[in-house]
Amino acid sequence: MALYLATFAFVMLKDPVLGNDSFSYNVMEISRFPGYAVFMRVLLKIFGVNLYTHIIILIHVLFGLTAIHVFTNKLNQIFKLTFVQNIGVLLLLLFPFFTKPLLANDVASEGICYPLYLSIITYSIKVVFQRQFYKIYFLALLLIALTITRGQFVIVPIIIAFIFILKERYRFRKKPQLTVIILLLLVPFVTNMLDKSYRKVVHGYFVKTPYSYVNAVALPLFVSKKDDFKTLKNEDYKEIFKFSYKRIDSLNLLNSKVEGSLEEKYMRFHENFPLICNQNIHMGGVDYYMNKGFSRAEAYIKTEEACKAIMFNSIRHNFKNYISIYYTNVIYGFRSVFIALFFLITALWSFIKVIKKFELDTGFILFTSLLVISNALIVAVACHSISRYLVYNYFSIIIIPLLLIRRLPFFKNS
């Protein structure tokens, strides 16, 4: 209780942190996922401009602490954690509230996504590991809420379905099991339709959030060469590539401009991601299309389409350099190649164990390892590996080693 009160006091005594993301959500910009944009707009309408950001922070911290409490209680229930182990997990879960990205104080989608993510793991334990199949409906709603707020989690329902199929593989044709599998696999499709429908109502265009390729193009652009535009078939795409390349070339923000190790090349990309992406090809593309007479919303959509073409074209011409920097990006997210190998080996080991016999600890180790690995791989495709995209799985730093240690003969016998 003392840790919760201290966290609550720390958050509420600090001012809301407002950034460019906060403004774009507030105005329901077409490039933003609808979940948090609608959340902010509703609170603005209810509480007014002078109060709503403080209400947002209050909701962030209360929702976050509640989700953490329920999650740790569930872990303690199924794994019988000691007091010290419980405190260790709790401290890791509270860590993002005290350091960057200051999840509760930052007026951005992470403040809602973090507790949603923990709630999803809690209900996944109930549905998958404790066979409380009737709770799949609430789990599906949580998954839809999460994926419609941050696209990086689109793989989560697929992972849950995979673990569920492994556990129920001898019974998956029965109605309760089939219901769980179908609902989980439907989540990405339902979210996609809701995302497009929201944009049709608000902006007049039935399209998904145009904010995927405008981020993912940054690394291909970083490793690109001056003449890569020649194989682009669309003249607008060629122009967008040329002025984007010219700008980052003038700033020495190209892979070819960095003499040194892969790590040094990656850090040039990592530290200058906004200059390569947001302040360059993204806004440059939007301005380009608006100058041609397109509306702002149309310009965002067409820039997304241009970035998709440029991304795959640049990867095709510079595949080796792209894979090298991408790999370094993934490893940077883990902070060490040894930590990355630990999760990879753990996932493979637990998969073999689960195939032989599904047990609670090995099943959860596999589930958590896949969440960690998939998130790292997706983040490295979409942007640079920073803490605000990776904090969701910090609890695994303690829980996976703990469960592995418990499987040692001495601990199993005791």
Side-chain angles (χ1 to χ4, degrees), residues 359-373:
E359 295 181 292
L360 177 63
D361 56 351
T362 51
F364 192 75
I365 289 171
L366 177 60
F367 177 44
T368 309
S369 298
L370 291 178
L371 289 175
V372 172
I373 293 168

Side-chain angles (χ1 to χ4, degrees), residues 3-4 10 78 100 167 199 209 229 277 292 298 333 386 388 391:
L3 286 173
Y4 292 133
F10 177 84
I78 63 174
K100 285 188 176 181
K167 186 175 186 298
R199 208 150 281 100
T209 303
F229 76 92
C277 173
K292 294 193 72 173
E298 289 172 325
I386 56 177
R388 66 181 291 190
V391 296

Side-chain angles (χ1 to χ4, degrees), residues 191-236:
T191 302
N192 187 47
M193 289 304 296
L194 288 174
D195 185 31
K196 290 181 177 180
S197 299
Y198 157 84
R199 208 150 281 100
K200 178 64 176 177
V201 171
V202 176
H203 300 283
Y205 300 93
F206 189 71
V207 294
K208 62 183 181 180
T209 303
Y211 202 63
S212 298
Y213 293 106
V214 294
N215 283 297
V217 74
L219 182 51
L221 191 61
F222 177 71
V223 300
S224 65
K225 298 188 290 290
K226 184 177 182 180
D227 293 336
D228 286 350
F229 76 92
K230 292 180 179 179
T231 50
L232 289 166
K233 297 179 180 179
N234 184 293
E235 292 301 319
D236 291 329

Side-chain angles (χ1 to χ4, degrees), residues 91-161:
L91 288 173
L92 274 176
L93 291 168
L94 292 173
F95 183 73
F97 289 89
F98 293 93
T99 60
K100 285 188 176 181
L102 290 174
L103 281 183
N105 292 93
D106 192 13
V107 182
S109 60
E110 287 81 11
I112 290 295
C113 287
Y114 186 59
L116 275 174
Y117 186 80
L118 296 180
S119 300
I120 284 167
I121 298 178
T122 301
Y123 272 84
S124 297
I125 293 171
K126 294 178 181 181
V127 173
V128 177
F129 296 94
Q130 297 183 310
R131 306 190 80 236
Q132 299 175 17
F133 298 153
Y134 65 95
K135 293 184 178 177
I136 182 58
Y137 300 101
F138 189 66
L139 174 58
L141 289 175
L142 288 173
L143 285 164
I144 290 170
L146 178 66
T147 52
I148 208 168
T149 305
R150 283 202 72 83
Q152 76 184 79
F153 298 111
V154 68
I155 195 67
V156 173
I158 309 302
I159 292 174
I160 298 171

